[in-house]
Amino acid sequence: LFNAPLLQSSKRQFLKLTPIEALLGSSGCRTLLGTISQVEEGRYYLEDLSGAVPVDLSTAQTMGGLICEGCTVIAEGSLLDGTFKVDMSGFPPPESRVSALEATGYVDVFGNGTTPHQLRHLREMEEEANDAMFVILSEVHLDKPIVLEKLRSLFEGYSQVRPLPLFVFTGNFTSQAIGHGTDSVEQVLGYFNQLADLICEFQDIKEHARFVFVPGPHDPGAGNTVPRPGLPSFFTRALRKRVKHVQFASNPCRIRFFSQEIVIFREDILKKMLRHCLMPSST
């Protein structure tokens, strides 16, 4: 039961969910909670822990948002000839992170091997670390002089801050895609060397600040595969050698902050979701 009427067609205060395995032989309007998947080529199903059923989304209305394959949704409709014809669809009500942790008994959903007791302890430590900071920048175009000027101002401001923040720099690291010619490779190498020189002007930041670099779609590397490997070491050797705490992560990557897992994904997600959306949004 959900304590909010997500679907316009429902006037109830609660939505009673029907397991998919209980649909067989049922009639009338039913409400399902499941994940949309493409079990067969070109045919979509709604899956829950009890089973899967083909769905017809051709006349379905939505309550807002972009519904794509892999989304978990609440679907209201009826079973016709073995296919669940969806009349209205929406997303489950959100819940706070604290409520989710308590409901799952502090289960390690990311599979890092952390026990519930350790997660509770990390949660307590996290509440005390209220002075921790993350500085996240995107489109750090190192080929633009104004970007280096702004980075200098940024480092000047944070050099007096304690504790120093975690700097997360995401690509693209050049304003235009770099080709495969010798001149292009040398240019990119020079851009990262300039960044290393800039960071080394601030001794405390060089020695104690932490940096994470996440590549963008046009940065040097292994094409547009996901997860995309980190920036090649050939271009970043000066940073690796001269800056003490630096990581060149994949895209996407996860950053662990006590009990939290922060996902950094440099991608035009909205464009892809619009392209793969299964039904038009009503908002």
Side-chain angles (χ1 to χ4, degrees):
L1 296 178
F2 282 106
N3 60 359
L6 291 187
L7 308 183
Q8 287 181 341
S9 59
S10 175
K11 301 301 183 182
R12 296 160 290 177
Q13 187 177 0
F14 294 91
L15 295 177
K16 182 178 180 180
L17 301 178
T18 301
I20 290 177
E21 65 177 358
L23 280 178
L24 186 62
S26 67
S27 61
C29 184
R30 295 288 185 270
T31 303
L32 309 181
L33 172 66
T35 300
I36 297 178
S37 61
Q38 193 173 178
V39 178
E40 303 174 11
E41 183 68 27
R43 192 176 188 189
Y44 292 97
Y45 284 68
L46 194 66
E47 293 183 300
D48 66 9
L49 295 177
S50 67
V53 63
V55 291
D56 179 1
L57 304 171
S58 59
T59 60
Q61 299 182 39
T62 68
M63 291 302 298
L66 301 175
I67 297 179
C68 306
E69 181 182 352
C71 287
T72 299
V73 298
I74 296 177
E76 191 174 84
S78 54
L79 187 66
L80 300 173
D81 299 325
T83 298
F84 189 76
K85 185 174 180 60
V86 180
D87 298 321
M88 186 70 69
S89 181
F91 290 104
E95 62 181 1
S96 68
R97 178 171 173 269
V98 174
S99 298
L101 287 173
E102 292 176 349
T104 59
Y106 288 83
V107 170
D108 178 22
V109 296
F110 287 96
N112 291 326
T114 309
T115 66
H117 174 73
Q118 290 173 327
L119 281 174
R120 289 191 185 91
H121 182 59
L122 287 172
R123 174 68 181 169
E124 294 172 358
M125 296 173 61
E126 180 183 317
E127 292 176 351
E128 296 177 1
N130 52 18
D131 56 350
M133 289 186 295
F134 289 75
V135 177
I136 302 177
L137 305 179
S138 182
E139 299 294 301
V140 184
H141 295 161
L142 299 177
D143 58 332
K144 297 291 187 180
I146 190 172
V147 172
L148 293 177
E149 293 176 10
K150 298 300 183 181
L151 287 177
R152 183 186 302 278
S153 299
L154 182 76
F155 294 147
E156 287 175 350
Y158 279 106
S159 62
Q160 307 300 322
V161 174
R162 295 296 181 272
L164 288 168
L166 168 68
F167 295 98
V168 181
F169 290 172
T170 70
N172 299 308
F173 288 102
T174 54
S175 57
Q176 296 181 351
I178 297 298
H180 299 285
T182 303
D183 292 342
S184 298
V185 171
E186 291 179 350
Q187 287 176 358
V188 177
L189 184 60
Y191 298 148
F192 282 103
N193 288 347
Q194 290 177 13
L195 179 59
D197 292 339
L198 176 60
I199 294 174
C200 289
E201 292 180 17
F202 303 89
Q203 189 66 25
D204 286 343
I205 290 179
K206 170 191 171 184
E207 294 293 332
H208 304 293
R210 297 180 181 274
F211 292 85
V212 176
F213 288 82
V214 179
H218 298 156
D219 288 323
N224 292 322
T225 57
V226 175
R228 182 185 176 93
L231 292 167
S233 58
F234 174 79
F235 296 103
T236 59
R237 57 191 179 190
L239 283 167
R240 295 174 188 269
K241 182 178 180 180
R242 302 173 63 186
V243 180
K244 190 169 183 179
H245 304 289
V246 61
Q247 296 289 331
F248 296 92
S250 62
N251 181 23
C253 69
R254 293 188 309 199
I255 298 175
R256 184 69 178 262
F257 178 68
F258 295 102
S259 67
Q260 296 188 45
E261 295 272 358
I262 302 170
V263 177
I264 305 293
F265 188 20
R266 171 58 182 88
E267 188 57 82
D268 190 349
I269 294 295
L270 181 59
K271 181 179 179 180
K272 289 190 174 182
M273 291 185 71
L274 287 171
R275 185 167 67 242
H276 296 287
C277 188
L278 299 179
M279 59 189 78
S281 174
S282 60
T283 59

